[in-house]
Amino acid sequence: MTKVTPSLGSVTLEIARSGSGGGQERFDVPVPSTHARVLDALSWVRENEDPSLGFRFACRVGMCGACAVVINGKETLACQTTLGEIDESTIRIEPLRGLPVQHDLIVDMRPFFSNLARAEAGLKPRDPQSRDLPIIAPDSNERTTIEAQNGCITCGACVSAIADQPQVDDPVGLAALNRILMLTLEERDSAGATRLDEFADEVRALRPQSAEHAESVCPANIPLASALEQLKSFVAGHGGDS
Amino acid sequence: MQSLTCDILIIGGGGAALFAAIHARDSAPNLDIVVASKGLFAKSGCTRMVQGGYNVVLHDDDSFDKHYDDTIRGGSLINNQELAWTLVTQAPERVFEMENSFGCTFDRNADGTIHQRALAGQSFNRTIHRGDLTGIEIISRLAEQMLVRDIEMLNEVRGVDLLLDGSGQSVTGALLMDQHSGELIAVNAAAVLVATGGAAPLYRITAASLEKSGDGLAMAYRAGAEFVDMEMMQFHPTGLIVDGSLLNGTVLEEGLRGAGGHLLNADHERYMERYDPEKMERSTRDRVSRSGMMEIRAGRGTDSEGVYLDVRHLGKEFLLKSSPGMYERCLTVGTDMETDLIEVTPTAHFQMGGIRIDSECRTSLAGLFAAGEDAGGVHGANRLGGNGVAESMVFGAIAGESMARHVKESARPAIDPDRLSRLCDRLEGSAEITGEPYRLKNKLRALSWEHLGILREANGLARVEEELNAIESELTALPMPAQRGGNPDLQERLDAENLIDVARLIGAAASQREESRGSHFREDFPDSDDRYLVNFFQRKEADGSMTTESRPVEFSRRTPDALLGETLIPA
Ligand SMILES: Cc1cc2nc3c(=O)[nH]c(=O)nc-3n(C[C@H](O)[C@H](O)[C@H](O)COP(=O)(O)OP(=O)(O)OC[C@H]3O[C@@H](n4cnc5c(N)ncnc54)[C@H](O)[C@@H]3O)c2cc1C
Ligand code: SF4
């Protein structure tokens, strides 16, 4: 991997504010080091210019997905985006779309979590009392798929990415559908494909291009397009042998 | 102010908190449970950041005794022996549950059996893991189980202080603050769990999730709970250096050292030869961190005050297979593990000390429970890699069940209204937002790094005491803001206040332990001393002063003699 060293100077942030009047606010921020992130720039603003600026983060290493925002029109994690890698002269930062804004760049994630609950996106165990560890052959078809789809960090970027595209009313969303797919293939689960029944219309309605677009912004690189394809085949009644 | 009544209030949103909620619900489905988390539930805290894995005895050739002895030796003999035994013997139960009931999948061998490896200080390959980013799997599956159980969660609502009954002896709820609306919520609960994940972010350089600020510890301290082992703070030897970035100090997992990575100073010497020629880089965390710090202090560090981790000789194929997450992370700071040296620093990682609990997670105050990093005693003077997340799962589950029992057996005492109104009044104000708390918190973190960190000595510890008072006076002199909601500045202030309480506890215990043991190193007392086979217990007295008292370790299961002959035990 080649590394581009930007000249350390300053960058201009244009941050969407939710306070009185809303709108965008501009800040000139010094670039402290080659690898400084958009998150560092936000933190600089908070500590030096406006202590009331609202943004969310926790782990700072791309594992928690709390800092997902829209940067120059594209969903991404603020902690994983270096200032130097952005081409435009101004870095526009907005909250995720499709979720209610709580404070500046912070969106309310409750609808996102409610959708996971609605999808019953947790294992319904076949054998909860078992005190043996299941033998899980790592190379079975089901397991290979489950592994490929695993690793969602519930950041909400995929919701935001297709918020403006035609979908069913009140969609459960790709992150939840992806989890449904995993559980459908999961041998330890007792509910099998039944979770899908309620969301069959949504699976039919979702366009492959939407899933591809969502996949392109997913910070955990979850193959959402392939998830949708497999779900469509389940819904069409010939899933399970993919 | 809003009022809320429930049976069980859980403060925290990490592994211990969620496990407690799930077990409380499953063992007593009729109880009202409320979980309040400062960060988003399951998306904040360190459980999600777990890398190396979870220690558990599963193999026929391994045994509880082996895991136990490793744990006590790792803790330099001052662990609470009953808590450590609980950890070791309950760890498998939680793994069965995670795999069979929650659908966690840890890495498998080719034949489908579970894969186990060893982190430092272990005599057997007993760490289960999912690649080098194990925490995501654990916390994601726990979060789902919370959601499908429909347990009430208050997100980005922080615990501010515990509420007591009229006698001042029982905890009967907590005052919470919704960080978005600013609303104060007085919760009256029969049982309260603090699981807020310790205070590693007290230090300028830390691996932990940065919203943590020892809140649970400080709340419990102010309410009068007893603490143990507060001088014991673990520093991880290989925090990534990223100058001028919040990423600074984030951990590169121990597996890299275990697999044969070298540590070099600025002169490219493998300096561990000077400190532990036998184990070299595979020595325990405390020793490797200290050695790195000593090299840096001696002027043999890099320009960014670090040392180098060299894994180039392990080869790209191996690195990508064993540590793909770390490989990727280094690339994002422009370092390719295959060809470049990685600049690292010791980094504050995990708090061994905490609220004193018994094997049922009860604290010294009726109605108050603690679990996970907020609780003390399990790890003694040093935690083994892989025992931390196991602690959160094991004791989280115990706390959940124990609280459910407590609720059935005891009444819910009424809240002392005077204490409540004092606490609320303090949070009323009319001032503008200033930004000052950021400055003061940074100052506090620098001070702690310097004098309460890896290397300690009497003069520095005395200075800390004075400077803490100064920082505290500045903080308390700041007028309270008119706007509570959507005001990160106010959160920063409350964080800093809590960290000061924690720093005082650490400082007082560290001053009294005039020897070196595990992660506690006194430059003025560099050797271990058998007279300090004790634990320090601390609490706040009714007059507001702090007492620190030592009691001999109870060797209920192992005597020091039984563990002699091992290299970790100082002769
Ligand atoms: C980078 C890293 C890697 C690690 N790797 C390993 C490993 O491989 N193996 C291992 O065994 N251990 C590891 N650990 C340690 C492990 O993460 C901890 O032992 C464990 O996660 C602690 O769990 P917890 O539930 O006590 O706290 P946490 O998971 O830290 O959760 C604390 C929670 O409390 C919330 N909170 C804080 N203050 C308040 C408040 N005032 N009110 C309400 N909520 C509050 C936080 O937002 C958070 O949700 C690692 C730690 C780090 C930092
Ligand atoms: S699928 Fe990807 S984009 Fe969607 S929530 Fe999960 S991690 Fe984020």
Side-chain angles (χ1 to χ4, degrees), chain B residues 11-17 36-39 44-47 49-53 157-159 195-197 207-208 211-212 215 219 251 349-350 371-373 383 386-390 392:
Chain B
I11 305 178
S37 179
K38 186 181 192 181
S44 51
C46 294
T47 306
M49 297 166 78
V50 163
Q51 301 177 338
V157 171
R158 76 181 287 161
T196 67
E211 88 284 357
K212 301 206 295 188
D215 297 351
M219 287 188 266
V251 153
H349 186 58
F350 178 89
E373 211 173 326
R383 169 175 76 78
N387 271 356
V389 67
S392 290

Side-chain angles (χ1 to χ4, degrees), chain A residues 68 109 112 151-159 174-176 178 214-215 217-222 224:
Chain A
M109 290 296 286
F112 180 89
C152 170
I153 53 173
T154 57
C155 69
C158 54
V159 171
L174 274 164
N178 179 60
E215 179 177 325
V217 302
C218 171
N221 298 318
I222 310 293
L224 293 171

